[in-house]
C-alpha cells in the first residue's frame, strides 16, 4: 500500500510499503508515517518481484522503477497551503503586497502558493510569505492532494411511489397543464421501455428537446430522483463479430505455435509483411481468454495502437484496455484499477513499453509485436529497460507464454533461436498469396550527373508517382528526418547557427519559420541575415519531411499531401486523424518518418518511395546495417497489401551496397549471417553483454577528470574490455558535457559479479568530493 511520509520539517512524499520488519535504524531516529493512503494494496506481489528484477538487472533504484510504473496521480506530493492567523488584527503594519494577500484570505480561507503568485503577478514570492509568517499574519500547512478524480455521470429515475400505474396516471393528469413537464415524464418512460438501461439526465432533456431547469423542477416535486454512477473515461462497445477464418498457411502457423508452446515458453514468429500475423494473434488471444487469463499485447509506437485497437475491437469489443503516454492521468489510473480488480474490461491490455509494469494478476500470454523495434528500449530517464526483455521475465513470473512477432527479427532474438533458447515459426506467404513488392534501386548519383533530378525526386520516382496517381492509388514516401532542413549555412562565411545549449546545428522548420533544436527544444525565429557576417546569403543543406511535402505541393498542386512526423502528431488524437484520413483516401500521398514503417495496414497503397537510404547506412553504430535492413524492409512492406503487387523505389548514391542488395532480395538469412560474423570478429552483442556509462556535468574539466579516473578504475577490473572514455557524437546536451565509457562483458564472466564490481566502483566514485556533482548514468544493454 501507499503511505505518506514526512521528509524534512514540512515536505510530505508518497512511498510504498516494501516490507514490514522490527529492526530500528541505527544512524537516525525513525519518524512516524504521516498517513496510510490506500485501503487495499495497489501493487501485486508478482509485480513487486518483477520491479526488483528490473532494478537489479538495469542497475537502478527500486524507487526509479516505482516512479516509472505508477501513474503520476498515485504519486502524491505535498502542496503548501497558506491559512490566515485568526488572532492577527494589526493591519496597519502590512505593506501593499502583504495587504493584498491578507485581503484575499478574508474571502478565501485557504490559498495555495501558486494562487498567491497569480494574485501578486510575480514568481519570487517566498520573501513576502516569510515576511507574513514573521508578522504572524499567516500559518503554513502541508497537505496531500489526491489527483485522481473519478468520472461521475448523472442518471435519473422516477420516485418509488410513481412506479404504481394508478399513481402514474394521476401524475400525468396532474401535469396536464404543465405540458413541458408532462412531455419529459413521457419521454423518460419511452426511453426506459426502448433501451431497458438507466437514463442519463443529459440524454433525457436533449431527447425531449427541453432544458435542465424543467428536469430540476420535477426533482424538486419529488417526481424524479437524480443519482450518479462512476464510469471509466475510455471504454469500448461490446462486439458480436466472430474471428476471421484463417488461410491454410496461417492455420498451419497457428498449430505450429501452439505445439511450440508445449516445449518452449518463448517463440519467435517470423512472418513476412502482410502475412496476416494479427489474425493469428487474435486466435491465440481468444484461446487465452477462454482459459480465463489475461493478455498483454505490446506495440512499439502509439501510432500503431490506433489501427490495432480498431482491428482487435471488432473481435473482442469491451475486453480491451489501452495504456500509453498519450492517455490522460485519470484514464491510466482507471486501467490500473480495472487490471488490479481483474475486471472483464481489462482482459486484453494493449500498450506501449510502460504497460509491462502494470499490476497483472493472471497473465496467460504476452505478444510483442514488431519485437525488433528500438522504441521498446527506454533511454531516459531511469529505469533504462527493454520492454521485450522485461516482458519475457514478467511472463516467467506468471508462468505465461511469450510470442515475439516480426517480419525482420532482431539479430539477438534470431541468435536465441539458433541457440535453441526460443522456439521458431516462419510464415513466408502473404495473405491472399499477394506477391512481395517489386523493389527497385534508383542510382541518384547517376541521375544528378545526367541532370535528371527534380528537387529531391529522380525522374524514375516521379514517373512511378504519376502512374500510381493516374490509377487512383495511394503513395507513401519515407524520409527519416523531420523539419525542412537539418542545417542552415551562410553561403559567404560558412557559419551555421548552433544551439546554445547543445553541440548540434539548429534544424529549419519552414512552416513556423524558425530554427529548432531536436535535443533540448530550444527555438528561435529564422534570421534574415547571417549572425556572423551580416550577409543575407543563408542556404539550407539536407532535407526533411517538411521540404518533401512542399516540393510535392509544387509538383502536384491538385493532389492532397499529408505529413506524419513528431510535429504533426503532437495531440492525443494526432495519429488517429492522419491515419484515418489516409485510410479514407482523403490523402493521396503520405510523407513521414519511421512512424510509417511499423505494421500499418493501408489497402490502397501500391507505391512506397524512400528518398535517401544513405544517411541511415552511414551512422556510427554497430547495429546500423541491421537497422537499415529492418527499416527498409518494413517500409517496403506497406506497399501492395491487398490484391495488386506493390512497387518500391529506393533512391541511393550507392545501389551496390550489400545491405541494399539484401533488401531487394528480401534476404534476411544473408543479412543475419553477415552481421553475426561481424559481431563475432569485433565482440559485440548478442555474443557479449554491453554496458554504457555516461558522465554528465556543466563543467567540461570536471567531466574530463572524472572520466579519466573512472576509466582507469574500470580498466583495473575489466582490462581490454573497456572502451573509452570518449566524447559521443553530440558531446553537449542541455548545457551538460558528456563522456561515455563502454564495457564489454564476456559471456563466460558472471554478469552479476561484473555488475557488483561496477556498483562498488560507482560508490567509490561518488564518495570523492570533487566528483560528487557529476551525474553517473548506467545503461545496461544500451542498444
Amino acid at each position: 500500500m501507499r503511505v505518506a511520509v514526512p521528509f524534512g520539517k514540512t515536505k510530505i512524499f508518497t512511498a510504498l510499503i516494501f516490507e514490514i520488519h522490527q529492526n530500528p535504524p541505527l544512524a537516525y531516529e525513525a519518524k512516524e508515517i504521516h498517513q496510510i493512503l490506500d485501503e487495499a494494496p495497489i501493487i501485486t506481489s508478482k509485480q513487486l518481484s518483477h520491479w526488483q528484477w528490473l532494478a537489479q538487472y538495469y542497475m537502478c533504484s527500486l524507487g526509479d522503477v516505482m516512479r516509472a510504473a505508477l501513474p503520476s496521480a498515485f504519486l502524491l506530493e505535498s502542496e503548501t497551503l497558506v491559512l490566515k492567523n485568526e488572532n492577527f488584527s494589526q493591519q496597519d503594519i502590512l505593506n501593499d503586497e502583504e495587504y493584498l494577500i491578507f485581503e484575499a484570505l478574508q474571502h478565501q480561507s485557504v490559498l495555495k502558493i501558486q494562487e498567491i503568485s497569480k494574485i501578486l503577478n510575480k514568481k519570487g514570492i517566498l520573501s513576502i510569505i516569510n515576511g507574513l509568517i514573521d508578522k504572524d499574519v499567516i500559518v503554513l500547512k502541508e497537505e496531500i492532494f489526491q489527483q485522481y478524480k473519478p468520472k461521475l455521470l448523472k442518471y435519473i429515475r422516477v420516485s418509488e411511489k410513481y412506479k404504481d400505474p394508478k399513481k402514474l396516471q394521476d401524475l400525468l393528469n396532474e401535469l396536464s397543464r404543465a405540458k413541458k413537464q408532462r412531455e419529459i415524464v413521457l419521454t423518460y418512460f419511452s426511453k426506459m421501455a426502448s433501451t431497458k438501461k438507466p437514463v442519463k439526465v443529459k440524454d433525457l432533456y436533449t431527447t425531449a428537446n427541453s432544458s435542465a431547469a424543467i428536469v430540476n423542477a420535477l426533482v424538486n416535486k419529488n417526481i424524479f430522483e437524480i443519482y450518479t454512477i462512476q464510469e471509466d473515461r475510455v471504454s469500448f462497445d461490446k462486439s458480436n463479430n466472430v474471428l476471421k477464418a484463417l488461410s491454410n498457411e496461417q492455420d498451419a502457423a497457428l498449430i505450429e505455435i501452439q505445439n511450440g508452446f508445449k516445449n518452449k515458453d518463448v517463440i519467435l514468429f517470423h512472418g513476412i509483411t502482410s502475412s496476416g500475423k494479427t489474425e493469428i494473434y487474435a486466435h491465440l488471444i481468444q484461446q487465452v481468454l477462454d482459459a480465463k487469463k489475461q493478455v498483454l499485447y505490446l506495440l512499439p509506437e502509439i501510432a500503431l495502437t490506433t489501427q490495432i485497437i480498431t482491428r482487435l475491437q471488432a473481435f473482442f469489443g469491451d475486453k480491451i484496455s489501452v495504456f500509453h503516454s498519450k492517455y490522460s492521468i485519470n484514464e491510466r489510473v482507471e486501467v490500473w484499477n480495472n487490471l488490479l480488480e481483474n475486471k472483464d474490461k481489462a482482459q486484453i491490455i494493449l500498450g506501449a513499453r510502460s504497460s509491462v509494469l502494470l499490476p497483472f494478476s493472471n497473465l496467460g500470454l504476452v505478444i510483442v509485436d514488431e519485437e525488433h523495434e528500438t522504441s521498446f528500449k527506454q533511454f531516459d530517464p531511469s529505469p533504462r529497460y527493454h520492454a521485450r526483455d522485461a516482458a519475457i521475465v514478467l511472463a516467467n513470473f506468471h508462468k505465461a507464454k511469450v510470442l515475439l512477432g516480426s517480419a525482420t527479427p532482431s539479430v539477438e532474438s534470431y541468435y536465441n533461436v539458433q541457440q535453441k533458447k526460443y522456439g521458431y515459426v516462419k510464415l513466408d506467404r502473404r495473405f491472399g498469396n499477394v506477391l512481395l513488392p517489386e523493389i527497385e534501386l534508383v542510382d541518384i548519383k547517376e541521375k544528378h550527373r545526367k541532370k535528371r533530378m527534380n528537387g529531391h525526386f529522380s525522374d524514375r520516382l516521379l514517373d512511378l508517382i504519376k502512374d500510381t496517381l493516374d490509377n487512383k492509388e495511394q503513395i507513401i514516401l519515407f524520409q527519416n528526418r523531420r523539419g525542412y532542413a537539418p542545417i542552415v549555412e551562410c553561403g559567404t562565411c560558412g557559419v551555421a547557427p548552433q544551439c546554445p545549449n547543445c553541440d548540434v546545428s539548429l534544424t529549419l522548420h519552414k512552416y513556423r519559420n524558425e530554427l529548432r533544436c531536436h535535443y533540448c527544444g530550444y527555438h528561435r525565429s529564422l534570421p534574415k541575415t547571417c549572425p556572423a557576417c551580416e550577409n543575407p546569403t543563408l542556404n539550407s543543406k539536407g532535407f526533411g519531411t517538411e521540404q518533401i511535402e512542399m516540393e510535392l505541393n509544387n509538383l502536384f498542386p491538385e493532389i492532397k499531401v499529408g505529413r506524419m512526423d513528431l510535429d504533426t502528431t503532437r495531440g492525443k488524437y494526432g495519429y488517429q486523424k492522419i491515419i484515418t484520413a489516409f485510410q479514407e483516401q482523403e490523402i493521396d500521398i503520405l510523407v513521414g518518418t519511421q512512424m510509417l514503417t511499423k505494421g500499418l495496414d493501408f489497402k490502397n497503397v501500391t507505391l512506397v518511395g524512400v528518398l535517401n537510404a544513405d544517411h541511415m547506412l552511414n551512422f556510427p553504430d554497430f547495429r546500423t546495417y541491421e537497422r537499415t535492413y529492418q527499416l527498409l524492409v518494413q517500409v517496403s512492406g506497406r506497399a501492395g497489401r491487398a490484391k495488386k503487387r506493390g512497387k518500391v523505389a529506393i533512391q541511393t548514391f550507392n545501389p551496390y551496397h550489400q545491405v541494399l542488395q539484401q533488401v531487394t532480395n528480401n534476404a534476411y538469412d544473408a543479412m543475419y549471417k553477415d552481421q553475426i560474423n561481424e559481431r563475432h570478429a569485433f565482440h559485440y552483442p548478442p555474443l557479449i553483454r554491453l554496458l554504457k556509462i555516461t558522465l554528465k556535468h556543466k563543467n567540461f574539466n570536471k567531466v574530463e577528470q572524472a572520466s579519466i579516473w573512472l576509466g582507469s578504475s574500470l580498466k583495473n577490473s575489466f582490462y581490454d574490455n573497456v572502451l573509452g572514455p570518449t566524447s559521443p557524437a553530440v558531446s553537449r546536451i542541455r548545457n551538460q558535457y558528456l563522456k561515455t565509457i563502454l564495457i564489454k562483458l564476456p559471456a563466460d564472466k558472471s554478469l552479476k559479479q561484473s555488475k557488483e564490481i561496477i556498483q562498488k566502483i560507482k560508490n567509490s566514485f561518488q564518495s570523492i568530493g570533487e566528483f560528487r556533482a557529476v551525474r553517473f548514468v548506467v545503461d545496461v544493454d544500451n542498444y
Side-chain angles (χ1 to χ4, degrees):
M1 294 182 189
R2 290 173 308 150
V3 288
V5 289
F7 267 74
K9 287 181 182 172
T10 53
K11 282 282 172 203
I12 296 168
F13 291 103
T14 303
L16 203 62
I17 297 292
F18 179 66
E19 71 174 310
I20 295 169
H21 60 85
Q22 300 301 324
N23 315 319
L26 301 172
Y28 61 94
E29 196 178 321
K31 288 186 179 182
E32 291 281 325
I33 281 174
H34 183 69
Q35 72 186 95
I36 296 171
L37 298 171
D38 297 313
E39 289 171 14
I42 63 158
I43 308 292
T44 67
S45 55
K46 279 181 182 166
Q47 190 183 10
L48 208 49
S49 304
H50 186 231
W51 288 7
Q52 279 178 274
W53 176 85
L54 281 165
Q56 179 258 317
Y57 184 83
Y58 290 103
M59 296 181 75
C60 62
S61 70
L62 206 49
D64 285 340
V65 184
M66 181 187 89
R67 287 195 84 86
L70 288 177
S72 53
F74 286 155
L75 294 166
L76 309 175
E77 305 293 328
S78 61
E79 289 188 49
T80 303
L81 297 183
V82 175
L83 291 79
K84 65 178 177 181
N85 182 358
E86 298 296 345
N87 302 324
F88 177 78
S89 55
Q90 302 165 278
Q91 297 175 26
D92 53 335
I93 64 167
L94 303 178
N95 64 33
D96 291 350
E97 286 178 329
E98 289 171 345
Y99 187 75
L100 263 178
I101 298 169
F102 175 75
E103 201 175 32
L105 284 167
Q106 304 302 316
H107 302 291
Q108 212 173 323
S109 57
V110 177
L111 286 173
K112 291 181 191 168
I113 295 284
Q114 297 96 306
E115 291 168 339
I116 292 174
S117 187
K118 279 180 187 170
I119 291 167
L120 299 178
N121 197 19
K122 63 195 291 190
K123 283 183 181 174
I125 58 162
L126 290 177
S127 57
I128 300 162
I129 300 282
N130 287 334
L132 287 166
I133 294 167
D134 293 342
K135 291 173 185 176
D136 282 335
V137 183
I138 59 168
V139 286
L140 298 185
K141 182 188 173 192
E142 288 284 325
E143 195 172 288
I144 285 223
F145 286 96
Q146 185 69 274
Q147 295 174 325
Y148 168 63
K149 289 186 178 71
K151 183 185 178 184
L152 299 171
L153 287 182
K154 284 185 180 177
Y155 284 84
I156 198 161
R157 62 186 165 215
V158 76
S159 294
E160 277 298 318
K161 59 181 176 183
Y162 295 113
K163 286 185 180 170
D164 176 10
K166 191 176 180 306
K167 289 266 174 71
L168 180 62
Q169 194 54 53
D170 294 344
L171 171 68
L172 292 171
N173 294 337
E174 221 178 281
L175 294 174
S176 57
R177 287 187 177 177
K179 281 185 181 172
K180 283 280 184 190
Q181 291 185 6
R182 191 170 189 271
E183 202 178 310
I184 277 198
V185 174
L186 289 168
T187 307
Y188 170 78
F189 281 103
S190 72
K191 272 189 91 67
M192 280 298 286
S194 62
T195 62
K196 307 238 178 342
K197 283 180 180 177
V199 177
K200 288 181 189 171
V201 174
K202 199 175 175 186
D203 287 357
L204 182 62
Y205 61 74
T206 49
T207 310
N209 199 15
S210 185
S211 70
I214 295 163
V215 174
N216 290 338
L218 288 165
V219 171
N220 293 336
K221 287 181 181 178
N222 292 328
I223 294 165
F224 278 140
E225 294 170 358
I226 286 177
Y227 63 102
T228 57
I229 294 179
Q230 186 179 329
E231 202 164 279
D232 282 354
R233 287 165 170 82
V234 179
S235 56
F236 301 107
D237 297 329
K238 267 198 165 67
S239 166
N240 301 317
N241 291 7
V242 288
L243 291 171
K244 284 184 187 173
L246 299 178
S247 68
N248 294 339
E249 289 83 10
Q250 285 174 314
D251 212 27
L254 177 63
I255 292 164
E256 213 180 320
I257 290 167
Q258 288 163 338
N259 292 336
F261 278 144
K262 289 172 188 171
N263 307 317
K264 293 272 194 289
D265 289 332
V266 183
I267 285 180
L268 176 63
F269 179 29
H270 185 176
I272 60 167
T273 52
S274 192
S275 56
K277 293 189 285 292
T278 310
E279 275 68 38
I280 295 173
Y281 298 156
H283 280 263
L284 284 166
I285 290 168
Q286 188 59 61
Q287 288 163 10
V288 176
L289 293 184
D290 292 344
K292 300 280 182 284
K293 290 196 166 186
Q294 297 165 326
V295 177
L296 170 61
Y297 193 129
L298 276 178
L299 289 156
E301 253 322 318
I302 295 167
L304 257 186
T305 51
T306 313
Q307 268 205 339
I308 297 285
I309 292 165
T310 317
R311 288 166 73 179
L312 291 184
Q313 199 196 327
F315 309 132
F316 304 111
D318 58 348
K319 288 191 172 73
I320 296 175
S321 284
V322 181
F323 190 89
H324 58 61
S325 61
K326 281 279 199 284
Y327 270 36
S328 72
I329 293 170
N330 289 332
E331 286 165 351
R332 280 184 268 174
V333 169
E334 279 158 11
V335 173
W336 185 285
N337 290 337
N338 291 340
L339 199 52
L340 207 54
E341 292 157 29
N342 203 3
K343 285 190 179 171
D344 273 355
K345 60 173 70 175
Q347 293 308 297
I348 304 168
I349 298 293
L350 209 69
R353 62 174 176 250
S354 55
S355 44
V356 295
L357 305 170
L358 287 169
F360 295 97
S361 53
N362 189 19
L363 193 61
L365 175 68
V366 178
I367 294 170
V368 185
D369 201 7
E370 311 293 345
E371 64 84 29
H372 63 278
E373 274 297 338
T374 34
S375 319
F376 282 128
K377 168 73 177 165
Q378 162 116 342
F379 288 102
D380 250 343
S382 178
R384 295 171 177 81
Y385 64 101
H386 198 296
R388 178 196 61 213
D389 303 344
I392 291 169
V393 175
L394 174 72
N396 190 35
F397 280 118
H398 286 267
K399 302 285 179 280
K401 302 295 180 190
V402 182
L403 185 65
L404 309 175
S406 176
T408 52
S410 62
V411 166
E412 293 83 38
S413 296
Y414 200 66
Y415 178 76
N416 281 332
V417 169
Q418 305 295 331
Q419 299 297 308
K420 303 283 184 283
K421 279 187 188 174
Y422 297 172
Y424 181 68
V425 176
K426 189 167 185 181
L427 178 59
D428 51 10
R429 274 232 182 138
R430 278 187 149 192
F431 186 74
N433 285 334
V434 178
L435 289 170
L436 278 167
E438 182 189 333
I439 301 174
E440 186 180 327
L441 297 173
V442 180
D443 186 350
I444 48 177
K445 183 168 71 180
E446 193 66 15
K447 298 288 180 190
H448 274 291
R449 195 174 64 78
K450 291 180 176 172
K451 302 207 169 17
R452 287 189 186 162
M453 294 292 289
N454 190 337
H456 293 99
F457 293 87
S458 62
D459 55 351
R460 177 64 186 145
L461 182 54
L462 282 175
D463 289 344
L464 289 169
I465 291 172
K466 282 171 193 159
D467 292 347
T468 310
L469 292 173
D470 291 345
N471 294 336
K472 299 281 183 286
E473 290 158 351
Q474 290 169 292
I475 299 155
I476 284 176
L477 293 177
F478 170 68
Q479 169 61 6
N480 205 13
R481 183 170 265 154
R482 67 187 170 104
Y484 183 85
I487 298 170
V488 172
E489 189 181 75
C490 173
T492 309
C493 68
V495 164
Q498 298 285 310
C499 172
N501 311 317
C502 314
D503 273 346
V504 286
S505 56
L506 294 169
T507 302
L508 171 61
H509 286 250
K510 200 97 172 212
Y511 76 109
R512 282 188 178 167
N513 204 36
E514 69 179 17
L515 296 170
R516 184 172 278 275
C517 172
H518 287 177
Y519 283 84
C520 69
Y522 168 85
H523 56 95
R524 69 178 208 227
S525 60
L526 177 68
K528 298 233 178 336
T529 59
C530 168
C533 70
E534 298 293 322
N535 276 315
T537 50
L538 289 172
N539 309 315
S540 59
K541 303 271 185 208
F543 63 104
T545 47
E546 214 181 289
Q547 192 165 342
I548 296 304
E549 184 189 24
M550 282 184 174
E551 282 187 20
L552 285 167
N553 285 327
N554 293 333
L555 290 165
F556 305 101
E558 70 291 347
I559 292 303
K560 183 83 178 76
V561 180
R563 175 161 58 91
M564 187 169 158
D565 55 28
L566 202 61
D567 300 317
T568 60
T569 54
R570 289 204 183 270
K572 181 176 174 183
Y573 301 107
Y575 296 104
Q576 211 165 330
K577 283 176 190 163
I578 295 168
I579 287 171
T580 309
F582 195 56
Q583 248 168 342
E584 301 295 325
Q585 298 182 24
E586 292 164 21
I587 295 171
D588 299 299
I589 304 177
L590 184 60
V591 183
T593 56
Q594 45 80 30
M595 284 177 188
L596 288 173
T597 64
K598 298 171 186 180
L600 295 170
D601 186 21
F602 304 110
K603 297 277 180 275
N604 198 37
V605 172
T606 55
L607 174 66
V608 166
V610 177
L611 288 144
N612 187 349
D614 300 310
H615 72 256
M616 292 184 277
L617 287 165
N618 303 326
F619 200 74
D621 182 7
F622 76 94
R623 290 191 72 175
T624 294
Y625 287 179
E626 179 196 349
R627 293 254 165 85
T628 305
Y629 177 87
Q630 287 164 345
L631 211 51
L632 292 176
V633 169
Q634 289 285 348
V635 77
S636 304
R638 303 311 112 218
R641 293 173 74 92
K643 290 168 189 165
K644 189 177 167 187
R645 187 182 187 190
K647 280 195 170 151
V648 180
I650 299 173
Q651 296 191 154
T652 171
F653 284 94
N654 184 7
Y656 303 106
H657 196 290
Q658 68 183 58
V659 172
L660 299 180
Q661 292 297 325
Q662 285 159 357
V663 169
T664 53
N665 301 322
N666 203 25
Y668 176 82
D669 287 331
M671 184 278 295
Y672 171 77
K673 211 172 172 184
D674 284 352
Q675 288 307 303
I676 210 76
N677 289 341
E678 209 163 277
R679 293 182 195 187
H680 212 285
F682 297 106
H683 306 293
Y684 274 105
L687 302 150
I688 56 118
R689 296 271 181 193
L690 213 55
L691 190 142
K692 182 165 118 182
I693 296 173
T694 307
L695 299 179
K696 298 180 181 182
H697 196 270
K698 55 181 186 288
N699 182 322
F700 176 78
N701 291 333
K702 225 170 216 179
V703 180
E704 183 75 23
Q705 285 163 4
S707 67
I708 292 166
W709 183 94
L710 184 64
S712 58
S713 299
L714 289 166
K715 277 171 187 164
N716 288 340
S717 301
F718 296 100
Y719 312 111
D720 292 343
N721 292 324
V722 178
L723 302 182
T726 180
S727 295
V730 179
S731 59
R732 183 173 61 109
I733 296 174
R734 291 188 177 88
N735 273 327
Q736 300 256 339
Y737 289 95
L738 310 179
K739 281 281 179 184
T740 56
I741 295 173
L742 215 53
I743 306 168
K744 293 177 173 181
L745 304 174
D748 56 348
K749 277 229 173 125
S750 161
L751 190 61
K752 194 176 173 209
Q753 274 182 341
S754 300
K755 284 181 183 171
E756 280 168 6
I757 294 166
I758 292 166
Q759 190 60 51
K760 276 181 190 166
I761 293 171
K762 181 183 177 181
N763 295 341
S764 307
F765 175 86
Q766 289 173 333
S767 66
I768 297 169
E770 59 187 302
F771 299 155
R772 202 166 286 157
V774 178
R775 265 197 72 200
F776 189 112
V777 176
V778 182
D779 190 355
V780 180
D781 299 344
N782 65 298
Y783 43 89

